[in-house]
Every structure is written in structure tokens, then in C-alpha cells.
Amino acid sequence: MRCAILAFLAGVCWLQTRAELPPPAYLAGAAAVALVLLAVRRFGATLLAAAIVGAAWAAWLAHLALAEGLPREQEGRDVTVVGTVDSLPHEFDAGARFILRVERVLSPDATVPRRIAVSWYGQHAATDSQTPVQPGERWQLVVRLQRPHGNANPYGFDYEAWLLEQGVRATGYVRPAGPRNVRLDAFVPRPGHVVERARAALRRHILRQLEGKPYAGVIVALVIGDQRGIPQSSWDVFNRTGISHLVSISGLHITMIAALAAWLASRLWRRSFFVEGAALPLLLPAQKAAALAGALVALLYVLLAGAGVPAQRTFYMLAAVAAALWCGRVVALSHVLCLALAVVVVIDPWAVLGAGFWLSFGAVAVILYAGLGRVELAAGWRRTLGAAVRTQYAVTVGLVPLTMLLFAQVSLASPLANAIAIPVVSLFVTPLALLGALLPAPLAGWVLGLAHLAIALLADGLAWLAASRLAVINAPAPQPWIFALALLGTAWMLAPRGWPRRWAGLAAWAPMLTQLPSAPPGGSFTVTAFDVGQGMALLVETERHRLLYDAGPQYGPGADAAGRILLPYLRGRGIGALDALVVSHSDVDHAGGARTLLAGVAVAQVHSSLPGGHPVVRAARRHSRCGAGQEWSWDGVRFELLGPAPQSYRQEGLKANARSCVLRVSSAGKAMLLAADIEAAQELQLLQTSPGRLRADVLLAPHHGSGTSSTAAFLAAVEPKFGIFQVGYRNRYRHPKKEVYERYASLGIRRLRTDEAGAVTLRFGRTLEVSAFRSERRRYWHGR
């Protein structure tokens, strides 16, 4: 059974790497082939059949999920719908985001998917009430929708895959439509609505008791699994110290609560506490009553937690053990783990795309492999402590290759941090948080305040650990063969006692931990234009140097392109430092991520046109103003700043766009011109001051292709073969403008838009090679 389940998993994983789904007609043929293979009754044939069934099952569910969608011609159209709030809303300063289950579409000739994700900015209701929407409410809303779309970058989060997993086939926002946005029912009774309303009530209760407390979001996460209230600064500390798995409802927490419920039920059942004078153990053995109570409490906790993959895995394992106990059967824990894996993947085949799936099942598999899953009959605190230490050692060592593959870093502070954090969070904070969430005020305030104090003290210590440069090891995400070798070494190190020279397995980690970031050869350079939405960010790499041109936009409070896209990319490549950052000008779509970037990676030099008191200038180690005439060379590659003119800094009232840092990068007869947001006046100035230095093979379209830039004379002087447009999908500025976009085409310039192509990589050497991320790593859900 275990091998068949793993083969089924392999089939599901294979399907999730496909650019296109197999036609529905092929699925029936796949089922027939699987039946024939099963009839052969050979081990290999059975595994192949399981893999085929896994791929076919995942493909069938994908076809069902993609069957409904928003027609492309209806994007951007106002549509009136009636539906219920089907998720726990995420409340932020500007409004709220939630999933709406659409029941009726009131607009004629409109097609709307059953589940849509909408944001409601400003007023939450037509009555100008600031009361946020609540789960289970029925609303009539005027919404403007678009098809699922997310940024597409290497090592980045696949938002489109996440929407597909959630069953969401359109996103959008509520239009300010006055009386047409109205609450129709305060609550629509459905099981899912009851759970989400309970989660909302608990969150509201906790936040009210911990108002203004910095770690209130952590307490909320431990009670209901909603991690959206934890700021990025806290996540950075938790990730660097390797305790982020504790800042959620983990399998350890669910098991602990279920065990407590089972112990309490057993004690009460044995004493016939529930029915005076009755002998309940004669009617039902106390063991079975305890197993049932533990499983039910675990189910309740998992529902309140939002049913994430780690929580699901734990519940299915506990349920399997409880069922085996009721049936009087002994079952191996490896069978239980595989059974839980099968249930998770059958219900949600897209779960394999998330890091939580692999870390959750991987951690348990490591514990079982290392022989730490056996129940030891002998008691005593020394034995318990020894088992805990061995378990932590096995998990820490066993997950190193997987952590490097998923996050390109390993926390060296993790063993010490977890040794402190696990007992504090699991045995003290989590029970207090759960108790405080259920108690009325003022008792809740006292109990939750104590839990918050413990988290605050723990966070202070973790911040001290995280501040050390030795807290983590960074290296490029390993290649498949390097990962496989590291897994083999890990298995050697964790082999059962008596295995010869287990320490020798550490040698297999050497290729993984000593990798260096890839780099172009001397005299050539590579440019990566990231898909950051409506903004700019490009990484220029030479043989031994790296420069980032602009840092992308700020998306909202605490969220920007650096945190979501640039830093994950740099970590994935194993890049721990930049030689220079050029911030072209102060507009938020160019400078919005600069402070986060400076906090997350070492930057030797910042060049910008920003005023002296700008926060980015203050955060820089070294700063210099951009000015025409500045130039330098790295590894045979020439960098020239063509603008702004030095005298422009003395012109008061000049727009920030007019002071954009214009950078030309060239080598071996190939060049790229990065023109930021210059407009027609600055283009004319460049034609007058630098006519012979404008020619470039690739042009970063000035001002995202706005109507105020890319004049015919400027394009004729540059003579680019390629034009790169860094724009957001359906952006409100309608960049690039139609007439400008067509102007590029009329001149024979090949156009690449990041909203369509994703991140674009250009390799300048003897030849110019261009690749687009969405083309190279296309998946069947992209653009659907």
C-alpha cells in the first residue's frame, strides 16, 4: 500500500508540472490502461498503474476547476452579484479582502464564477458604516473583476496556482455603487459559514483584549491559524531562527490538545462522571471513548485552524489511529502517514505545490525513519528529555536538504531557537492562548496578556539570535542531482544505531552547501527584468558584480516588491550582496521596495536622484547622486550614466520623472539602455547631449510605455531590437499606451511585456539571448 500511495503521489506531482492538461478523452484511456496493469499483478505494474491513476485524478479535478472562468471580454466590466462571504475576511487599513460565493448574477449577459476574491476599499457598506463584512453574510455587490493573474518570477510565489487551489476563478474589487451595495442577510446558515463566523469571533475577541500589542497577530495565528496579522519583520526573525513552524497551528499543537482531551475523557469515563451510578466502561471501553474524544477535539481544532495541510495531516493520522483502536487492530505509523498523505492529495492535488506539504510530511517521515516514532514504555524525565533531543536532532538534520531546495537557506540558529521555543510555545503560550480565547473579559485579557508577554520575551531573544550573520547559511537552490546526493547523505547520517560511520554522510552535503551563484563569463552580462507589476526592477550581473536598477513598487503597508519578489529571488540564487543599487527617482513604483531591500541584503553603494533627507538615502551605507558623465567598468562591462544633468538638481519644481537616472550598460558591441521614467523633454535632451551613446540592442521602455515618452526620434536614435515594458496586468494607467506600443512595432522592435511574459532574462555576449519565465515554466493554470 505504501509504495502504491507514493506512486500515486508521483503521478499527481508529474501532472502539476505540465504546461497543458491532457484532453478529457485521454483520461478514460488512462483509467483503462491502469486496470490492465493492475490485472498483471506485478509490483512494477501496480506502481505504474497507481502513478497513472494519480495523474488522471489530478487532471480530472483540474478540468473541473478550470471549467468555469471569467470570459476575457468581461474583464473590467461592472457586474452586480448576490453572494455570501465565504471566508474569514482579511481586514487592513484601506478595507477588507474576502472570498464571495456567488449565488446570483443580476447583470444581464454576465458570466461570473462561483467563487471570486474581492477587495472592498474605503467604506464597507452603503450606509457609510465602518462595520466590516462578516463570514456568512449575504450581500448584493457591484464588482469589477479580472481573470486570475499573478506576478511570474523565478523562486516566486505562484498566486495563480493558489487561487486555483482555493477554487477562485476571478479577482476584483467592490465598486462604490451607493445603495446597490447592500447587506441582504446577516447570516446564512451553512457548516462552512458557522466555522468561519466562529473564527472571526475568536479573532475579534483576541484583538480586542490585546489591542495595540505587537504580537497579537501571533496569538491569533496560534488559536485560529490566521497568520495575516503577523508583520514581515517578525516573519524575518522567525524564518532566520527556524521557528516559523511554531507560529501556526502545527501538528505538535493539535496532537497535544487531542492528547489532553483524550486523557481527560478517559479519566472521566473511568469514573462514570457523566452518568451518576452508571458503569460507563462496561458499555464502552475507556480507551475507545478517549480515542473518540481526542479525534473530535482534533477535528474541531483543525476546522478552527483553517484546515491547512499540516493540520489536515495531523488529523488524518490521529483519525486513523483512533479507527484502528476502535477496530482492535495494530497499525504501523508508516502506514498511517501514507494513508494521511493519500487523503490529502486525493482531496487537494494542488497541495503538492506548497512548501508546507513537503515540510509537514517530510518531518514525520524523518522521525519515523530515524526510529524515534516508537512508543517507549519506560518512564522518567531523563528518557523523555533524551527522546525529545533525538527527535529535534533528526528533524533538524533531516530537513536540511528540503529546506535548501525550498528556501535556499538553512538556519544554524534553529537547534538552539527550537530548544527554547518549542516548550515555551507548545506547553505555555498555546494553552494560554486557547484558554484566553474562550474566557470572557476581564479574565481573557489577563490570560492572553500573559501569553503575549511570553511571546514578546521569546521574540526579543530570537531577534538577538537572528541578528548574527552566522544565523543562517545561504546557498543557491540545489540542482536535482545535488539534492538527491544530499538526501542520500542525510539518510546515511540518520540510519539506525549500529550503521557504520554515520558521520560520513555529512560529506554528501558539501556540494549543496558550497555552491556559488551562477554568473556570466567575463566581458558579458545578464539582465533580469522582474515581473513586479506596475513598477521597475532589473538585476544586472557581470562575472563578479551585481547591480539592481530600481527596487519595484510598494503594494501596501508592509508589502513591497523587494519582500515578495526580489529578496526571494536573490536567496534562491544564493546572492547575499549587491555591489550597487540605482534608484532612478522617488516615485513609489521605483523606490517603494528600496528600504526593504537594504534591510535584507548588503548593498555596497546606492546611486539615486533622491533628495538628501529621503529614507532610502539615510538607510544607505554609501550614497551618491546620479549625474550625466559618471561611468565605471566591471569585468569588461561598461556602465554609463547619461542622465540626469547635474544642473537639474538646482531646478526647483522639476518633476521626479525628469531627474530619472538613465543608465547604459554595454560590452562587446551589445548594449541595453535603462531609461526609467524620462519623458519627451528628457529624451530630446539626451538626443542633444549624448547622441552617439544612445544606441542599444535593448531598450527599457521609458515610463512603462506612457504617451509622454518613446518619441519617434528617440527610438530612431536608440535603434533597439527589443523593447521591454515593465507594466502591471490591466494597470489603471493603461500602460503601455496603444499608440506607443504600435510605434515600437512599426519600427520592427520586438516587444516584451512583463505582465504577459513574466520575468524576462537577457544574456548579452557574442549573441543576445532572450527568455521569458512564463514560456520556460508554463503551467496549465497560467493565463486560464
Side-chain angles (χ1 to χ4, degrees):
M1 181 191 78
R2 290 170 293 186
C3 292
I5 289 175
L6 294 177
F8 181 91
L9 172 65
V12 171
C13 292
W14 176 85
L15 192 279
Q16 307 304 359
T17 64
R18 300 299 93 196
E20 299 290 341
L21 286 174
Y26 285 23
L27 302 184
V33 171
L35 288 175
V36 171
L37 290 171
L38 288 175
V40 174
R41 294 189 178 183
R42 293 288 188 273
F43 181 72
T46 300
L47 295 186
L48 181 58
I52 292 173
V53 171
W57 174 257
W60 182 60
L61 290 185
H63 276 295
L64 293 179
L66 295 173
E68 60 170 346
L70 183 73
R72 195 173 296 276
E73 62 273 11
Q74 292 188 19
E75 288 187 302
R77 172 184 170 185
D78 288 354
V79 180
T80 303
V81 299
V82 173
T84 59
V85 180
D86 202 40
S87 70
L88 181 67
H90 172 46
E91 299 170 15
F92 53 98
D93 292 341
R97 295 189 186 95
F98 54 92
I99 292 176
L100 188 75
R101 180 185 291 272
V102 177
E103 297 174 326
R104 285 179 291 150
V105 180
L106 302 184
S107 299
D109 303 323
T111 301
V112 177
R114 285 177 295 177
R115 282 171 64 84
I116 60 177
V118 294
S119 299
W120 196 344
Y121 299 101
Q123 304 293 339
H124 285 296
T127 59
D128 291 339
S129 168
Q130 290 297 317
T131 302
V133 293
Q134 295 296 323
E137 292 178 342
R138 176 178 282 128
W139 282 83
Q140 175 182 299
L141 298 172
V142 179
V143 296
R144 180 170 292 183
L145 302 174
Q146 67 179 30
R147 294 157 66 86
H149 187 89
N151 302 123
N153 297 280
Y155 310 104
F157 175 66
D158 194 333
Y159 181 58
E160 293 172 47
W162 182 84
L163 288 175
L164 180 63
E165 183 180 11
Q166 302 300 311
V168 173
R169 303 308 305 140
T171 64
Y173 58 95
V174 178
R175 296 280 288 161
R180 288 191 292 166
N181 292 331
V182 58
R183 182 190 289 112
L184 302 178
D185 293 296
F187 185 72
V188 178
R190 289 176 186 158
H193 293 167
V194 172
V195 172
E196 295 302 318
R197 182 63 72 93
R199 297 180 72 212
L202 289 172
R203 182 178 66 179
R204 189 165 53 250
H205 177 61
I206 294 169
L207 294 178
R208 187 182 297 120
Q209 301 304 316
L210 297 177
E211 186 174 0
K213 301 290 186 181
Y215 298 102
V218 175
I219 302 299
V220 170
L222 291 173
V223 175
I224 64 169
D226 180 18
Q227 302 176 342
R228 294 171 294 186
I230 303 176
Q232 185 60 45
S233 58
S234 295
W235 278 122
D236 292 340
V237 171
F238 298 152
N239 290 332
R240 285 183 64 83
T241 54
I243 65 105
S244 55
H245 64 99
L246 291 174
V247 190
S248 63
I249 300 181
S250 66
L252 176 62
H253 299 158
I254 294 172
T255 303
M256 179 185 67
I257 298 300
L260 180 61
W263 174 82
L264 183 60
S266 176
R267 299 280 293 183
L268 296 177
W269 196 265
R270 291 178 188 277
R271 288 163 175 74
S272 301
F273 180 84
F274 302 103
V275 181
E276 186 176 353
L280 294 181
L282 297 179
L283 302 176
L284 180 69
Q287 258 190 330
K288 291 186 176 182
L292 180 61
L296 290 176
V297 169
L299 175 61
L300 178 62
Y301 198 13
V302 167
L303 292 175
L304 288 176
V309 169
Q312 289 184 47
R313 186 264 304 161
T314 304
F315 169 71
Y316 297 143
M317 291 186 69
L318 291 173
V321 172
L325 193 150
W326 266 71
C327 297
R329 300 189 62 178
V330 177
V331 58
L333 289 180
S334 59
H335 285 86
V336 172
L337 179 63
C338 286
L339 181 61
L341 185 149
V343 174
V344 169
V345 176
V346 166
I347 294 175
D348 180 10
W350 298 284
V352 300
L353 300 175
F357 173 88
W358 299 102
L359 292 174
S360 177
F361 283 100
V364 179
V366 164
I367 293 172
L368 296 181
Y369 172 77
L372 301 173
R374 295 189 298 268
V375 177
E376 299 188 15
L377 298 179
W381 69 269
R382 291 182 180 177
R383 186 177 295 275
T384 301
L385 180 61
V389 170
R390 289 193 298 272
T391 300
Q392 184 59 41
Y393 164 77
V395 172
T396 300
V397 171
L399 293 184
V400 165
L402 188 57
T403 304
M404 287 297 300
L405 180 68
L406 295 173
F407 307 113
Q409 67 177 26
V410 172
S411 173
L412 295 180
S414 175
L416 176 59
N418 276 280
I420 300 170
I422 286 177
V424 170
V425 175
S426 300
L427 302 179
F428 186 74
V429 176
T430 299
L432 285 179
L434 290 170
L435 180 61
L438 299 176
L439 288 174
L443 293 176
W446 301 337
V447 175
L448 290 173
L450 187 58
H452 183 275
L453 176 62
I455 282 290
L457 294 174
L458 177 64
D460 288 343
L462 294 175
W464 178 80
L465 278 177
S468 171
R469 292 184 179 180
L470 301 177
V472 296
I473 291 179
N474 292 98
Q479 297 297 318
W481 74 269
I482 295 178
F483 176 68
L485 180 63
L487 280 183
L488 181 62
T490 303
W492 191 283
M493 283 188 283
L494 297 179
R497 186 177 301 173
W499 193 267
R501 296 180 177 84
R502 287 184 293 177
W503 53 266
L506 189 62
W509 283 7
M512 178 179 66
L513 299 178
T514 58
Q515 289 184 98
L516 295 176
S518 59
S524 61
F525 65 98
T526 300
V527 178
T528 303
F530 296 100
D531 178 13
V532 293
Q534 187 65 21
M536 282 187 186
L538 303 95
L539 180 67
V540 183
E541 300 179 75
T542 68
E543 185 180 20
R544 293 186 298 273
H545 296 83
R546 294 175 178 86
L547 174 148
L548 186 70
Y549 183 86
D550 280 338
Q554 182 177 17
Y555 303 122
D560 54 47
R564 291 186 178 180
I565 296 169
L566 304 182
L567 290 176
Y569 176 85
L570 295 175
R571 280 196 296 268
R573 289 279 313 281
I575 299 173
L578 296 174
D579 296 281
L581 166 65
V582 176
V583 181
S584 63
H585 61 296
S586 59
D587 283 359
V588 72
D589 57 329
H590 296 252
R595 292 178 66 187
T596 300
L597 182 86
L598 291 171
V601 66
V603 179
Q605 174 77 40
V606 176
H607 306 274
S608 81
S609 61
L610 304 174
H614 195 280
V616 174
V617 175
R618 294 199 302 267
R621 293 183 184 177
R622 294 174 56 199
H623 176 265
S624 62
R625 274 183 168 179
C626 295
Q630 298 174 11
E631 60 180 71
W632 66 92
S633 293
W634 286 340
D635 310 318
V637 180
R638 188 179 183 186
F639 294 77
E640 304 171 84
L641 281 167
L642 307 184
Q647 61 268 25
S648 67
Y649 290 103
R650 297 191 295 271
Q651 297 176 335
E652 296 184 5
L654 196 65
K655 291 172 57 178
N657 288 353
R659 291 200 185 98
S660 291
C661 302
V662 179
L663 179 66
R664 184 176 187 266
V665 187
S666 60
S667 176
K670 298 288 190 300
M672 182 170 183
L673 185 63
L674 308 175
D677 278 1
I678 62 171
E679 298 181 347
Q682 289 75 51
E683 291 180 355
L684 178 60
Q685 188 176 27
L686 287 172
L687 289 171
Q688 295 171 346
T689 59
S690 308
R693 293 189 291 173
L694 290 179
R695 197 213 65 79
D697 299 274
V698 181
L699 172 65
L700 177 63
H703 205 180
H704 317 281
S706 76
T708 61
S709 306
S710 297
T711 60
F714 182 73
L715 293 179
V718 178
E719 294 185 274
K721 297 182 178 65
F722 292 88
I724 307 297
F725 295 82
Q726 282 194 302
V727 292
Y729 182 68
R730 296 186 55 82
N731 64 86
R732 59 176 175 163
Y733 306 103
R734 300 184 183 276
H735 291 160
K737 294 297 184 181
K738 182 179 180 181
E739 64 274 15
V740 173
Y741 200 58
E742 291 176 349
R743 187 179 302 153
Y744 279 75
S746 67
L747 295 173
I749 303 170
R750 182 182 170 187
R751 303 160 298 176
L752 290 168
R753 301 170 49 145
T754 54
D755 61 337
E756 295 177 351
V760 177
T761 302
L762 306 112
R763 299 176 178 86
F764 295 81
R766 293 183 179 179
T767 60
L768 173 59
E769 299 177 6
V770 182
S771 60
F773 183 72
R774 282 190 181 270
S775 298
E776 290 193 337
R777 197 182 177 279
R778 181 168 179 79
R779 297 294 182 261
Y780 63 82
W781 56 82
H782 288 158
R784 298 291 293 273

